[in-house]
Amino acid sequence: MVYTGTYIDENGVGHEISLTEEDSIEALKNDRDALLRRYNTQRVTVRQVKAQEGEAMRFQLTLHAPTHYLTSEDDTEPKPCDEMTCTLVCMPGYPITPMKAGYAPDRHLASPNVGRSGWACIDEWKVGVSSMLTVGDKLLHDMIHDPSVTRYDSVANSDVVAWHKRGVERGAFPTIAPKELWAPEIPPLPRRRAGPPCRRRPSSAGAGPSARPGRPGMRQSSHSGPRPERQAPASWP
């Protein structure tokens, strides 16, 4: 199985990308490992769960910080809570095939960019740029009501737009400093004391070009073409 897509470079030129099923599986594993290491475990829990039929991978991303939720499609009164879980779904052909994300319909995030049925807007999927890492980052910032990721120009729930803006104006949003989401940096190793030089053993292996993490085996050919239009799902399954 070969998956194809179009990567748009900074000049607006389209490049056709092809990816084998083996390449897609390797990209999934690489990005999954990076996702599991990415966040501060005091604030964020990432758990891989069983994928459903037709899916490649499924994760549950849980925020442990103040946020707000709604209980139904008709609910317009955000309620405070200290935990929120979102489901991330990777489809076969990742990272060419777009991901999906959403919340439980009876406990979904109160956000202008979350639909009333619980599906989450993850912005336009850009081949070669978007990944489960960029999606996870966007969702977590949205969960703490960080206005830096809020799209007031493309809302999925207009009932909470004024509420969200008021929270920003009075300094209540974001609910925590965004830097608290990230895993702490690993401190550098202590400097080694001076000692006798080590003998370097000769190697017969040649150095080849390094593969971009999470993007193995992509092949591309240039062609001009329009940017793909973003399509939002009508509902979250």
Side-chain angles (χ1 to χ4, degrees):
M1 183 69 181
V2 176
Y3 303 92
T4 60
T6 303
Y7 162 68
I8 307 297
D9 65 21
E10 62 275 9
N11 298 316
V13 178
H15 304 270
E16 185 175 296
I17 300 293
S18 63
L19 192 73
T20 67
E21 187 170 1
E22 291 76 16
D23 293 334
S24 177
I25 292 172
E26 185 176 349
L28 282 163
K29 292 178 178 178
N30 290 344
D31 284 356
R32 174 199 60 192
D33 293 345
L35 186 71
L36 293 173
R37 299 189 303 265
R38 191 169 183 82
Y39 303 113
N40 175 7
T41 55
Q42 300 299 314
R43 288 297 191 185
V44 181
T45 300
V46 182
R47 187 166 68 95
Q48 184 176 356
V49 296
K50 184 178 179 180
Q52 297 183 5
E53 184 177 357
E55 300 174 351
M57 274 190 185
R58 176 177 277 246
F59 300 90
Q60 286 186 342
L61 190 67
T62 301
L63 171 77
H64 307 286
T67 185
H68 296 79
Y69 70 99
L70 300 171
T71 58
S72 69
E73 294 187 9
D74 300 323
D75 189 2
T76 59
E77 297 294 332
K79 300 156 188 61
C81 62
D82 293 316
E83 187 174 285
M84 178 63 62
T85 297
C86 184
T87 299
L88 285 68
V89 177
C90 299
M91 306 303 293
Y94 173 93
I96 288 179
T97 308
M99 291 180 60
K100 299 178 181 179
Y103 302 84
D106 59 350
R107 198 177 189 277
H108 59 274
L109 181 68
S111 166
N113 299 141
V114 174
R116 291 178 174 85
S117 61
W119 65 267
C121 177
I122 57 176
D123 295 334
E124 178 185 359
W125 188 263
K126 298 180 180 180
V127 176
V129 177
S130 302
S131 71
M132 66 177 75
L133 306 180
T134 62
V135 171
D137 292 353
K138 200 275 183 186
L139 292 172
L140 286 169
H141 278 268
D142 201 16
M143 287 186 209
I144 62 173
H145 307 305
D146 185 352
S148 69
V149 302
T150 305
R151 292 284 305 275
Y152 294 120
D153 61 333
S154 180
V155 300
N157 186 351
S158 58
D159 290 335
V160 296
V161 170
W163 166 83
H164 193 280
K165 288 182 176 180
R166 288 195 301 269
V168 174
E169 290 172 357
R170 69 174 186 267
F173 298 161
T175 60
I176 63 171
K179 65 180 181 181
E180 293 186 38
L181 297 172
W182 311 109
E185 294 184 3
I186 300 175
L189 294 173
R191 182 176 298 177
R192 295 181 60 181
R193 295 182 179 180
C198 297
R199 293 184 178 180
R200 180 173 297 177
R201 186 174 296 177
S203 172
S204 59
S210 59
R212 185 180 177 185
R215 305 291 183 270
M218 283 191 176
R219 293 164 291 279
Q220 64 180 16
S221 59
S222 298
H223 74 277
S224 297
R227 292 177 179 267
E229 295 183 358
R230 185 180 76 175
Q231 295 182 350
S235 62
W236 169 247

